[in-house]
Amino acid sequence: MSATVVAASGGEPVGTEPRAPASKRDLWIVFWIFPTFFGLFGVIFVLLARVIPPPRPDVTTDQKVQWFASHATTIQIGFAAVCVVFGGAAIANGYVAYQMKRMTSGPTFAYAYMGAMAVGTLPGLLLVALCFSAATFRPDREPRISAMLYDLGMLSFNGSLGCFATGYLAFAIAILYDKNQIFPKWLAYVSIWQIVTEVIATQMWVSSAGPYAWNGSIAFWLAVIVFGFWLNCQGIFLKFATDRQPAGSRPAD
Amino acid sequence: MQILAEAEELPKTTNIRTQLVALWIAAVSALILLIAYLAFPGFWPPMSPRLTAEDVAGFYRNHTAWIRFSMVTFNLCGIMLLPLFCVVVVQMKRMATQSQVFAYCYLSAVVSGATLFALADIFFAVAAFRPGRDPDLVMLLNDLGWMVFIAPVGMIVAQNLMLALAVYHDNGPTPVFPRWVGHLSLLTMFAMLPSACAMVMTGGPLAWDGAISFWLRNGAFATFVIVMFFAVRGAVRRQAREEGIAR
């Protein structure tokens, strides 16, 4: 009987030895890192690092060098800050994977989500920081090299598709199989739209201007709108999942 | 620690043994990494960001063999420290009074952090692969290698924060780690944090060759790894005693 109760609440009670009264403070600390990190991420990438909205792909080498020169200070502050806080991404994704482990769908896709997102951090977040910092570090660098760093940075940031598509797919499938209602079913369908935007974004690798370029209305802006909606929903329902998790419980191994 | 004869074949004994094997893999690799560290001419003294492209290219031309030796060794053995952090995950999951959430977030940060370490040596080694390459390109590879090696400390910040919080929340009758492991974890985090400035600074203590960004950062991490080896070994031994398979 007790096993059924446990399965319904999406966790198992912790051992039987005497201990301090159960608290959910650890869950709440980790939960609040999610909105804090993504808030900082937005501020840094939009206001400081200048990669959202994206600089244009259809410019000459000299214009790229000029763009780095005119935004050098904020790019440098922004990406130094990224170096400090980007571990928040690992914690936020780790917490989503943790809540996915409370689902009845088995641990497979929780691990797949954690793995895909942990891999995605390098090409999707850190490489642009590295490229833009290397370009602004030496303003007198050979222009051809700075221009290559511009392309490498933007395409790794906007064009890293598969890691995230895999994460979204894992998230969607786990939700659809889950009976504990950790996340609502419709969020799975939003996640599938996220995969669709990643597939559409493949076009930025062959298109250097227009709606399908890396700054285009479809390949970039449509994807950003869907991503923003999805991320906010994920955060809100992560809060509800934290609310509902019984104190002193943990996911099954 | 001595495993009891009657416990030899139990699965929970194997769990203890594999954790100890993982610790020793990390310990041996740490020793090899220390040799590679001593052998890399670019660390003695650490290369200044203010060197000209010609000087950087000359450096890779003059020290090609030692750079190759040390970077291939870093490449081969760097990620062999990972088993140490995985034993930490296993021990964090044993902490009785909490939801295990810190362990999952710690693992996630450890994996992302390891990918960065795996990348840095490739830039240095590629620069040494063709010493006759255009100096501007050698300098680019050198810049990228130094930046990715020193500056992105965010994953270590995240993992040490999770470890410290887990230790502080582990308030049952038999804590897995002593409290000072939490303090050490935070102290290491704060010592490494300023080196993010190496993305920007071309001179002074915060540049990638500086007293804070290079010496304090790397000294703190090395000390942390060495002390954690003993702290984690202690935790595994306590686990063995608590589970009644060793005395």
Side-chain angles (χ1 to χ4, degrees):
Chain A
M1 184 58 209
S2 67
T4 345
V5 173
V6 166
S9 65
E12 59 183 27
V14 184
T16 47
E17 67 227 59
R19 79 188 78 87
S23 139
K24 285 174 31 175
R25 196 170 63 167
D26 51 350
L27 294 173
W28 286 115
I29 291 172
V30 170
F31 166 76
W32 280 108
I33 291 174
F34 185 102
T36 309
F37 168 72
F38 283 107
L40 281 170
F41 176 87
V43 170
I44 291 172
F45 276 77
V46 175
L47 296 182
L48 295 172
R50 304 295 175 126
V51 289
I52 305 171
R56 302 172 63 117
D58 51 343
V59 289
T60 63
T61 295
D62 287 340
Q63 286 172 309
K64 290 174 187 172
V65 173
Q66 186 54 46
W67 184 83
F68 278 131
S70 53
H71 299 295
T73 310
T74 57
I75 289 174
Q76 292 193 316
I77 296 169
F79 283 125
V82 163
C83 282
V84 177
V85 303
F86 79 117
I91 296 174
N93 295 327
Y95 188 49
V96 173
Y98 174 84
Q99 288 296 341
M100 288 170 75
K101 272 208 83 191
R102 293 179 56 234
M103 297 176 172
T104 57
S105 17
T108 307
F109 286 107
Y111 294 143
Y113 185 86
M114 185 197 274
M117 294 309 227
V119 173
T121 309
L122 177 61
L125 185 70
L126 195 87
L127 206 52
V128 64
L130 196 58
C131 289
F132 279 27
S133 299
T136 48
F137 194 76
R138 299 192 194 281
D140 55 344
R141 206 189 282 281
E142 169 78 40
R144 287 176 309 138
I145 296 177
S146 296
M148 185 202 67
L149 290 169
Y150 180 96
D151 288 350
L152 183 56
M154 285 317 296
L155 282 169
S156 64
F157 179 63
N158 283 338
S160 286
L161 313 169
C163 306
F164 302 104
T166 307
Y168 303 146
L169 185 64
F171 190 60
I173 294 173
I175 292 175
L176 292 175
Y177 274 103
D178 175 37
K179 290 191 170 33
N180 274 345
Q181 306 233 311
I182 305 290
F183 292 98
K185 295 285 176 242
W186 58 262
L187 193 55
Y189 299 109
V190 182
S191 300
I192 290 166
W193 277 105
Q194 285 269 82
I195 301 169
V196 173
T197 65
E198 298 286 5
V199 173
I200 295 172
T202 53
Q203 296 310 301
M204 74 174 62
W205 289 95
V206 290
S207 174
S208 56
Y212 293 100
W214 80 49
N215 66 340
S217 55
I218 295 176
F220 182 77
W221 288 107
L222 181 68
V224 162
I225 291 165
V226 178
F227 175 74
F229 177 70
W230 175 83
L231 186 71
N232 279 290
C233 293
Q234 194 184 44
I236 290 165
F237 285 96
L238 211 49
K239 181 183 178 300
F240 295 156
T242 312
D243 275 329
R244 286 197 309 265
Q245 180 171 348
S249 72
R250 58 170 62 164
D253 274 332
Chain B
M1 188 185 75
Q2 194 181 357
I3 305 273
L4 301 174
E6 58 271 29
E8 277 287 341
E9 300 299 325
L10 298 176
K12 60 183 180 180
T13 309
T14 310
N15 180 31
I16 297 293
R17 284 224 172 90
T18 48
Q19 289 186 71
L20 293 172
V21 169
L23 285 181
W24 282 108
I25 290 173
V28 172
S29 332
L31 193 69
I32 297 171
L33 290 176
L34 185 68
I35 295 168
Y37 193 93
L38 296 174
F40 181 51
F43 289 163
W44 306 102
M47 295 168 76
S48 166
R50 290 195 172 136
L51 293 178
T52 64
E54 291 303 330
D55 288 343
V56 172
F59 171 84
Y60 280 89
R61 259 197 316 276
N62 296 335
H63 302 282
T64 312
W66 282 109
I67 296 168
R68 286 176 181 169
F69 164 74
S70 50
M71 287 304 146
V72 172
T73 308
F74 271 126
N75 193 315
L76 194 60
C77 300
I79 302 304
M80 289 202 193
L81 288 180
L82 191 66
L84 169 69
F85 298 107
C86 294
V87 182
V88 176
V89 175
V90 174
Q91 293 299 321
M92 286 171 82
K93 287 189 75 176
R94 283 179 58 229
M95 293 176 173
T97 53
Q98 54 189 274
S99 60
Q100 294 186 335
V101 67
F102 295 127
Y104 286 86
C105 294
Y106 182 87
L107 176 62
S108 172
V110 162
V111 173
S112 281
T115 57
L116 304 179
F117 194 69
L119 191 60
D121 63 79
I122 291 175
F123 289 121
F124 291 120
V126 171
F129 185 70
R130 292 190 204 281
R133 203 189 294 274
D134 177 350
D136 283 326
L137 291 174
V138 177
M139 184 158 75
L140 172 68
L141 290 165
N142 185 62
D143 287 347
L144 291 172
W146 275 101
M147 281 179 171
V148 78
F149 177 60
I150 295 289
V153 288
M155 288 298 165
I156 295 168
V157 169
Q159 74 189 61
N160 279 25
L161 183 66
M162 292 296 102
L163 176 60
L165 285 169
V167 170
Y168 296 147
H169 280 80
D170 186 19
N171 49 8
T174 50
V176 169
F177 289 116
R179 229 134 241 248
W180 61 258
V181 170
H183 305 328
L184 177 74
S185 195
L186 286 186
L187 194 67
T188 308
M189 181 184 101
F190 285 116
M192 295 180 74
L193 221 146
S195 50
C197 297
M199 279 294 219
V200 178
M201 306 301 287
T202 54
L206 289 169
W208 70 51
D209 65 331
I212 294 175
S213 288
F214 186 83
W215 294 108
L216 179 65
R217 176 203 188 283
N218 293 336
F221 186 69
T223 310
F224 180 71
V225 167
I226 293 167
V227 176
M228 279 309 283
F229 170 81
F230 293 101
V232 178
R233 194 178 61 157
V236 175
R237 288 178 166 183
R238 277 191 296 280
Q239 180 186 7
R241 275 187 223 103
E242 282 164 26
E243 294 183 351
I245 57 178
R247 60 163 181 255

